[in-house]
Amino acid sequence: RRLKVRVNIELLSISNPVHKKDLAVRLTDDADPFFLYNLVISEEDFQSLKSQQGLLVDFSAFPQKFIDLLQQCIQEQNKDIPRFLLQLVSSAPALDHTPVSLNVVETNPFKHLTHLSLKFLPGTDAEIKKFLANCLKCLKEDKMILEEKLKKTEEDLNRQLSYTQQSLSEKSRELDKLKNEWTSYTTALSSKHSQELTSEKERALQAQTQYQQQHEQQKKELENLHQRSIQQLQNRLSELELINKDLTERRYKGDSTVRELKTKLSGLEDECQRAKQEVLSLRRENTTLDAECHEKEKLINQLQTRVAVLEQEIKDKDQLVTRTKEVLDATQEQKVILEESTEEKQRHIEKLETTIKSLSAELLKANEIIKKLQGDLKTLMSKLKLKNTVTIQQEKLLAEKEEKLQKEQRESQEMGQSLRMKEQEVCKLQEQLESTIQKLEESKQLLKTNENVITWLNRQLSEAQMAKKLDSPASAHAGGRAAVSPLGMPDRPSFHSSGISHPISPLYAFQNFLEPTHSKNGNSQCPISKVQLNSQLPKLSRCSDAHTVPAAGHAANKENGDQLGLESKYFKKKDDSIPLRGLSQNTLNSEYLRPYLPAKAQPSPKAAGTPASAYFPG
């Protein structure tokens, strides 16, 4: 069943012995005074209720949220299918002093969701008595207030009645007096009006005769004026027809010029599209050129040919730009001519408008005789309006053409900028080509110098082998050092670790050349300085800083005139020298280098122990 229930919510603050706040909720029915259910929630009780029902609200905000839910239920109560409901559920079949649960339910087509459920206890006899006593007290207070209001309203109404009765008696007397005065006044007025009417009729007859005479005179004067104005209007109409013929001829001429300009504009647009296509093709070619710049020597010739083709295309585009500029100048001249013609037309139109305004002012003063001429003038006005609309349309077309011309000028400027950018890119490509060519020449020079070094070392190796064959007994007496190096390495080793085998490298040939050949001074033992050849040969010092001493073992060669050692240009330090990699450091360590160095490359005793990079630059 459904009931209308009154819900009272109060916050009770208790200060003795501890300051607390409790929420008191009361359910009552106005029809049933014994229907009373109470609920008191403290802060501790609210924490347990919050944990049980999963509430997200604090105790301070809970009363307002509960009131919001009740208001939603009140809004939905008159609907057939309400969304929010208040359910009062009891375990007993009737509400007979049993605890009750109040549920706030939201209905969905899928499920009924209970947002809040509160358990209420029925009121005891004492509570019901207190509630009824409060109700009686409130009713008595309301009754006393209503009785006082009734007394006040009765007194006011009695006063108003007495006042209205007195006013009615006074006004009835005034009406009688007014009626008597009105009858005497009407009789006097009727007599006066009859006399005035007779006198006025006589005056009207006299005025009528005078007005007729004046009207006849004015009529004659107006007829003469109308005839003169008709003649003047006819003369002006003939002049206007001549002016209209001139305007039509000028309009036809303007249409012809506009068509010519349209054809020229279409041609210019086609040329611009072609130029755009060429620009796109040039951009693609530029991308290919950028990729090809990083290739090897074989692509240099192709780049040069493409640069020549690009220069020819740029020249062609310059010619196209000059042509487009000439066409634009011609169109601008035609535009100036058209503007002058439009200004003249506007002046003629202003003159015509002034004349038409004067004619309309004069025609309004005319009478019924000129109505036919007014119809003719209206037709002329409509024709003039049509002409004005035509001229306005022509002005709009001219404005559109000016916008198109400006767009074409902008496009031509953009084309010029793109051409300048391409010229700059071509210059950069040429500079890159020149730099690559210079690098190639430098690399070729380095290769030539390396080949000269290799030939000189091979020649020295062959001479050393010949000397070894001749001086084999002396080398055997010296302890068999001609066949074996101080590190115990064979005469022609194969470098497995470094990947070098039989063709002999220049450094290995030079090492074999430095074997002992003491044929003349066999018993003399000179101090041997250990020379180390570094594998990274770019870090070389200049040969001019190294001190050289004459070698005793090569006196015979000097007598024959064979100058051992390289020229001074091969001992200069170069930043672009190529390091010799792949030779292990053990193969380059030799204790017998110093006595057998050439005269120009032999180190001094003070410089013993310095790396071989100081004497053998790259």
Side-chain angles (χ1 to χ4, degrees), residues 455-474:
T455 54
W456 180 78
L457 290 171
N458 286 321
R459 188 178 66 187
Q460 294 294 329
L461 191 146
S462 63
E463 289 176 358
Q465 286 179 356
M466 292 294 291
K468 186 173 73 172
K469 287 177 182 179
L470 293 172
D471 298 332
S472 59

Side-chain angles (χ1 to χ4, degrees), residues 252-270 326-339 341-342 394-405 408:
Y252 289 129
K253 288 179 182 178
D255 292 331
S256 63
T257 54
V258 167
R259 288 174 185 171
E260 290 177 357
L261 288 170
K262 283 182 180 178
T263 54
K264 288 179 181 179
L265 284 170
S266 63
L268 289 170
E269 287 176 355
D270 294 331
E326 290 175 356
V327 173
L328 287 169
D329 293 331
T331 51
Q332 286 178 357
E333 290 176 357
Q334 291 177 357
K335 179 184 172 183
V336 171
I337 293 163
L338 288 170
E339 286 177 354
S341 63
T342 50
Q394 288 178 357
E395 288 177 356
K396 288 180 181 178
L397 290 169
L398 288 170
E400 289 177 356
K401 287 175 183 177
E402 287 178 357
E403 289 178 356
K404 288 181 181 178
L405 287 170
E408 288 178 356

Side-chain angles (χ1 to χ4, degrees), residues 516-533:
T517 57
H518 291 79
S519 61
K520 294 179 181 180
N521 296 321
N523 295 320
S524 64
Q525 296 293 328
C526 63
I528 297 165
S529 63
K530 188 175 180 180
V531 179
Q532 184 177 0
L533 293 172

Side-chain angles (χ1 to χ4, degrees), residues 532-534 536-537 539-542 610-617:
Q532 184 177 0
L533 293 172
N534 292 322
Q536 293 180 352
L537 293 175
K539 298 178 181 179
L540 298 175
S541 63
R542 294 182 181 178
T610 58
S613 61
Y615 309 108
F616 301 103

Side-chain angles (χ1 to χ4, degrees), residues 267-382:
L268 289 170
E269 287 176 355
D270 294 331
E271 288 179 357
C272 287
Q273 288 178 358
R274 290 174 185 172
K276 286 179 182 178
Q277 291 177 359
E278 289 178 356
V279 167
L280 291 170
S281 64
L282 287 170
R283 285 177 182 172
R284 293 173 184 171
E285 289 177 358
N286 283 324
T287 54
T288 55
L289 286 170
D290 291 330
E292 288 173 355
C293 282
H294 298 287
E295 292 180 357
K296 295 178 181 180
E297 295 175 353
K298 294 179 182 180
L299 298 176
I300 292 167
N301 294 321
Q302 294 178 0
L303 288 168
Q304 289 176 354
T305 55
R306 287 183 183 176
V307 167
V309 171
L310 286 169
E311 288 177 354
Q312 290 178 358
E313 289 179 354
I314 288 162
K315 289 178 182 178
D316 295 332
K317 286 177 181 177
D318 291 329
Q319 293 176 359
L320 288 171
V321 169
T322 53
R323 289 177 185 173
T324 52
K325 286 180 180 177
E326 290 175 356
V327 173
L328 287 169
D329 293 331
T331 51
Q332 286 178 357
E333 290 176 357
Q334 291 177 357
K335 179 184 172 183
V336 171
I337 293 163
L338 288 170
E339 286 177 354
E340 290 176 356
S341 63
T342 50
E343 287 177 357
E344 290 178 357
K345 288 178 183 179
Q346 285 178 357
R347 290 172 185 173
H348 286 296
I349 289 161
E350 288 176 356
K351 289 178 181 179
L352 290 170
E353 286 178 352
T354 54
T355 54
I356 288 160
K357 287 178 181 178
S358 63
L359 288 170
S360 61
E362 290 175 357
L363 289 168
L364 290 170
K365 295 177 182 179
N367 291 325
E368 294 178 355
I369 299 165
I370 305 168
K371 286 182 180 179
K372 294 180 181 179
L373 294 172
Q374 284 180 351
D376 296 331
L377 287 170
K378 286 180 181 178
T379 56
L380 288 170
M381 289 289 287
S382 63

Side-chain angles (χ1 to χ4, degrees), residues 156-167:
D156 293 331
L157 289 170
N158 290 320
R159 289 173 186 174
Q160 289 176 2
L161 281 170
S162 61
Y163 180 73
T164 51
Q165 286 175 0
Q166 290 176 2
S167 63

Side-chain angles (χ1 to χ4, degrees), residues 34-51:
F34 295 101
F35 183 84
L36 179 65
Y37 289 92
N38 293 318
L39 174 64
V40 178
I41 300 171
S42 63
E43 291 182 0
E44 296 175 354
D45 296 332
F46 178 76
Q47 294 297 326
S48 63
L49 189 141
K50 183 178 179 181
S51 62

